Amino acid sequence: EPEVTQTPSHQVTQMGQEVILRCVPISNHLYFYWYRQILGQKVEFLVSFYNNEISEKSEIFDDQFSVERPDGSNFTLKIRSTKLEDSAMYFCARQGVNSGANVLTFGAGSRLTVL
Amino acid sequence: DQQVKQNSPSLSVQEGRISILNCDYTNSMFDYFLWYKKYPAEGPTFLISISSIKDKNEDGRFTVFLNKSAKHLSLHIVPSQPGDSAVYFCAASAHGISNFGNEKLTFGTGTRLTIIP
């Protein structure tokens, strides 16, 4: 059973539409993260979420982005009005426990394609 | 601003030989370094890490070396196996006392390793 489950695996949307990407980090962890990877580029930090609040965010994470953990289980990333340049793989991650507190465990990712 | 650089986009190595992947960084505040491996359609998978207080960490076939004065680290895989074929990402974080636990990782652009049978 994967430790971090992300849905959908792939979403195609029209520019300007809202998108919600979901993550279910199994077991109780306090720190959660969203990263993204534009095709052919490096994996980039978007936001960290601690104790139900944003802990840190990058300059990429502008007002079009939001995160929440609405039911204490799912961890969501919402893009309010998608742009072409939002097309990327979005990875959810949680802080490690068994492998070390410094280690992030990533989900398989959600591929977002904005047309 | 590329704070973590992997200058080799690809590397091919014969099965059984040693694979050496290199990574350079510019931010002297980085104090923790990690290597992740990524297969297509999967998320990055943690391989091995090293704290800045060490210069070497070994785990089975994988060894990471850190040269702080040169701001350089390398991952050695020996012997290389076909299953090692993947993209390898170097990543770094800067903790400090107040920020420990918040793993904002800065990644390199990755090196695609191909092991030739």
Side-chain angles (χ1 to χ4, degrees), chain B residues 9-62:
Chain B
S10 63
L11 175 69
S12 295
V13 175
Q14 288 282 342
E15 181 179 359
R17 307 293 289 266
I18 184 171
S19 295
I20 300 176
L21 297 104
N22 293 302
C23 177
D24 296 291
Y25 62 95
T26 57
N27 188 342
S28 56
M29 299 300 291
F30 287 146
D31 56 9
Y32 196 73
F33 305 89
L34 309 91
W35 284 95
Y36 279 82
K37 173 171 142 177
K38 187 179 180 305
Y39 294 117
E42 293 184 14
T45 303
F46 170 74
L47 258 183
I48 192 168
S49 62
I50 188 167
S51 163
S52 60
I53 61 174
K54 294 186 174 182
D55 54 19
K56 177 182 174 181
N57 189 26
E58 194 171 350
D59 183 3
R61 296 186 298 115
F62 302 92

Side-chain angles (χ1 to χ4, degrees), chain B residues 51-104:
Chain B
S51 163
S52 60
I53 61 174
K54 294 186 174 182
D55 54 19
K56 177 182 174 181
N57 189 26
E58 194 171 350
D59 183 3
R61 296 186 298 115
F62 302 92
T63 303
V64 56
F65 295 91
L66 175 63
N67 182 334
K68 281 200 306 181
S69 61
K71 293 191 175 66
H72 176 83
L73 64 155
S74 61
L75 173 68
H76 292 210
I77 306 172
V78 56
S80 301
Q81 298 174 354
D84 295 330
S85 295
V87 177
Y88 288 78
F89 290 98
C90 172
S93 65
H95 286 117
I97 295 173
S98 61
N99 204 28
F100 191 83
N102 186 357
E103 292 305 318
K104 176 186 172 184

Side-chain angles (χ1 to χ4, degrees), chain A residues 31 33 35 37 40-45 48 55-58 89 91 95 99 101-109, chain B residues 1-4 32 34 36 38 41-46 49 89 95 99-109:
Chain A
Y31 267 110
Y33 305 80
Y35 284 76
Q37 183 185 25
Q41 298 185 23
K42 62 182 179 179
V43 178
E44 300 173 291
F45 169 80
S48 59
S55 176
E56 188 171 353
K57 59 184 180 180
S58 72
M89 281 291 288
F91 295 105
Q95 200 93 4
S99 53
N102 308 96
V103 174
L104 297 188
T105 297
F106 288 85
Chain B
D1 176 26
Q2 276 194 291
Q3 298 187 63
V4 177
Y32 196 73
L34 309 91
Y36 279 82
K38 187 179 180 305
E42 293 184 14
T45 303
F46 170 74
S49 62
F89 290 98
H95 286 117
N99 204 28
F100 191 83
N102 186 357
E103 292 305 318
K104 176 186 172 184
L105 296 180
T106 300
F107 282 84
T109 50

Side-chain angles (χ1 to χ4, degrees), chain A residues 30-33 47-57 61 67-69 75, chain B residues 102:
Chain A
L30 292 177
Y31 267 110
F32 303 100
Y33 305 80
V47 65
S48 59
F49 193 75
Y50 172 73
N51 208 21
N52 294 323
E53 289 184 353
I54 289 177
S55 176
E56 188 171 353
K57 59 184 180 180
F61 196 89
V67 289
E68 60 179 14
R69 201 175 182 204
F75 178 47
Chain B
N102 186 357

